[in-house]
Coordinates of all heavy atoms in Angstrom, one line a residue:
A297 N 103.4 119.3 119.2 CA 102.7 120.4 118.4 C 103.8 121.2 117.7 O 103.5 121.6 116.5 CB 101.9 121.3 119.4
S330 N 98.7 110.1 126.7 CA 98.4 109.8 125.3 C 97.4 110.8 124.7 O 97.5 111.2 123.6 CB 97.8 108.4 125.2 OG 98.8 107.4 125.6
E331 N 96.4 111.1 125.5 CA 95.4 112.1 125.1 C 96.1 113.5 124.8 O 95.7 114.2 123.8 CB 94.3 112.3 126.1 CG 93.4 111.0 126.3 CD 92.4 110.8 125.2 OE1 92.4 111.6 124.3 OE2 91.7 109.8 125.3
R332 N 97.0 113.8 125.7 CA 97.7 115.1 125.5 C 98.5 115.1 124.2 O 98.4 116.1 123.5 CB 98.6 115.4 126.7 CG 99.5 116.6 126.6 CD 100.5 116.8 127.7 NE 101.5 115.7 127.6 CZ 102.5 115.7 126.8 NH1 102.7 116.7 125.9 NH2 103.4 114.7 126.8
V333 N 99.2 114.1 124.0 CA 100.1 114.0 122.8 C 99.2 114.0 121.5 O 99.5 114.7 120.5 CB 101.0 112.8 122.8 CG1 101.7 112.6 121.5 CG2 102.0 113.0 123.9
L334 N 98.1 113.3 121.6 CA 97.2 113.2 120.4 C 96.6 114.6 120.1 O 96.5 115.0 118.9 CB 96.0 112.3 120.7 CG 96.3 110.8 120.4 CD1 95.1 110.0 120.8 CD2 96.6 110.6 118.9
K335 N 96.3 115.4 121.1 CA 95.8 116.8 120.9 C 96.9 117.6 120.2 O 96.7 118.4 119.3 CB 95.4 117.4 122.2 CG 94.1 116.8 122.7 CD 93.7 117.5 124.1 CE 92.4 116.9 124.6 NZ 92.1 117.4 126.0
E336 N 98.2 117.4 120.7 CA 99.3 118.2 120.1 C 99.5 117.7 118.6 O 99.9 118.6 117.8 CB 100.6 118.0 120.9 CG 100.5 118.6 122.3 CD 101.7 118.5 123.1 OE1 102.7 117.7 122.6 OE2 101.8 119.0 124.2
L337 N 99.4 116.5 118.3 CA 99.6 116.0 117.0 C 98.5 116.5 116.0 O 98.7 116.6 114.8 CB 99.7 114.4 117.0 CG 100.9 113.8 117.6 CD1 100.7 112.3 117.7 CD2 102.1 114.1 116.8
D338 N 97.3 116.7 116.6 CA 96.2 117.3 115.8 C 95.9 116.6 114.5 O 95.7 117.2 113.5 CB 96.5 118.8 115.6 CG 95.3 119.5 115.1 OD1 94.1 119.1 115.4 OD2 95.4 120.6 114.4
G339 N 96.0 115.2 114.5 CA 95.6 114.5 113.3 C 96.8 114.4 112.3 O 96.6 113.9 111.2
W368 N 91.4 107.4 117.9 CA 91.5 108.6 117.1 C 90.9 108.3 115.7 O 91.5 107.4 115.0 CB 92.9 109.1 117.0 CG 93.0 110.3 116.1 CD1 93.1 110.4 114.8 CD2 93.0 111.7 116.6 NE1 93.2 111.7 114.4 CE2 93.1 112.5 115.5 CE3 92.9 112.3 117.9 CZ2 93.1 113.9 115.5 CZ3 92.9 113.7 117.9 CH2 93.0 114.5 116.8

Side-chain angles (χ1 to χ4, degrees):
S330 297
E331 295 284 1
R332 177 187 63 79
V333 171
L334 277 176
K335 289 178 181 177
E336 292 181 355
L337 290 172
D338 193 26
W368 183 275

